[in-house]
C-alpha cells in the first residue's frame, strides 16, 4: 500500500514551525499521514490528509523522503506494509484544529521545540526541512536525520 505524509512548514514571527496533530488512538504527536486512494496522486493525498486531520489547506511542493515501512498489524487484525512518501508542503490557509476523529489536537510547533515523538516522525520533519535530493530508503533517512 502507498501512504503519504504531509509535512506542512510555516514561518510565524520569523520562526520556522511545523504542523503537528495528536493522534486519538495513542496520544502521540505526528505529522499528518494517510493512505493514498486508488488513482489519487500522492501530492493530492498529502494535501487531503492535512485538510481532513487538521483543517489546514496546504500545497505539497517536494518529495522529501521515500521508504518502505516495516510490516504492521492494525488493531482490527489487518496486516499491511506501506511505501511511505513524505512530502514537504507549504501553508496556504486555515488554523490547526482537530478536524476529524483521528486527532485530539492540532497545532503549529516551533521546529526547534518539538514535543516528544517517535524517531521516524522527527526524521520526516528533518527530510522536509532538508535541501537537496529526495532521501531514498528507511536507513538513509534515519541516518541523515540523526535518528539511527
Amino acid at each position: 500500500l502507498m501512504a503519504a505524509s504531509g509535512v506542512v512548514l510555516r514561518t510565524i514571527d520569523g520562526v520556522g514551525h511545523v504542523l503537528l496533530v495528536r493522534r486519538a488512538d495513542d496520544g502521540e504527536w505526528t505529522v499528518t499521514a494517510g493512505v493514498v486512494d486508488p488513482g489519487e496522486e500522492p501530492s493530492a493525498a498529502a494535501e487531503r490528509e492535512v485538510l481532513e486531520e487538521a483543517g489546514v489547506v496546504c500545497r505539497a511542493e517536494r518529495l522529501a523522503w521515500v521508504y518502505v515501512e516495516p510490516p504492521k498489524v492494525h488493531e482490527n487484525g489487518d496486516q499491511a506494509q506501506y511505501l511511505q512518501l513524505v512530502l514537504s508542503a507549504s501553508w496556504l490557509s486555515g488554523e490547526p484544529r482537530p478536524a476529524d476523529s483521528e486527532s485530539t489536537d492540532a497545532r503549529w510547533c516551533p521546529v526547534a521545540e518539538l514535543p516528544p515523538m517517535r524517531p521516524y516522525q522527527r526524521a520526516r520533519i528533518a527530510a522536509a526541512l532538508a535541501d537537496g535530493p529526495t532521501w531514498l530508503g528507511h536507513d538513509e533517512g534515519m541516518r541523515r536525520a540523526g535518528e539511527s
Side-chain angles (χ1 to χ4, degrees):
L1 296 173
M2 193 171 6
S5 294
V7 183
V8 184
L9 304 172
R10 179 181 182 191
T11 301
I12 302 171
D13 296 329
V15 177
H17 285 69
V18 63
L19 177 65
L20 298 179
V21 295
R22 185 182 288 261
R23 295 178 49 92
D25 59 352
D26 60 16
E28 297 210 13
W29 286 102
T30 69
V31 298
T32 61
V35 174
V36 177
D37 291 335
E40 185 178 32
E41 292 289 341
S43 58
E47 292 168 356
R48 174 182 51 77
E49 289 292 337
V50 169
L51 183 60
E52 288 177 358
E53 293 181 18
V56 167
V57 178
C58 71
R59 180 179 57 243
E61 296 183 332
R62 183 177 71 86
L63 181 60
W65 186 19
V66 178
Y67 67 96
V68 176
E69 293 184 353
K72 70 185 299 181
V73 178
H74 292 281
E75 288 184 16
N76 65 2
D78 287 350
Q79 298 180 23
Q81 190 165 23
Y82 296 94
L83 173 64
Q84 183 65 239
L85 306 172
V86 178
L87 292 109
S88 174
S90 61
W91 172 82
L92 295 178
S93 66
E95 289 306 318
R97 61 181 171 79
D100 65 12
S101 62
E102 294 179 22
S103 306
T104 60
D105 195 359
R107 64 179 65 170
W108 295 111
C109 181
V111 171
E113 300 172 21
L114 296 175
M117 52 196 331
R118 293 184 187 262
Y120 72 89
Q121 291 289 341
R122 289 191 304 268
R124 289 177 183 177
I125 295 166
L129 290 167
D131 291 325
T134 302
W135 295 3
L136 301 174
H138 180 270
D139 292 346
E140 176 188 349
M142 296 300 283
R143 178 185 54 75
R144 291 181 72 171
E147 297 292 343
S148 59

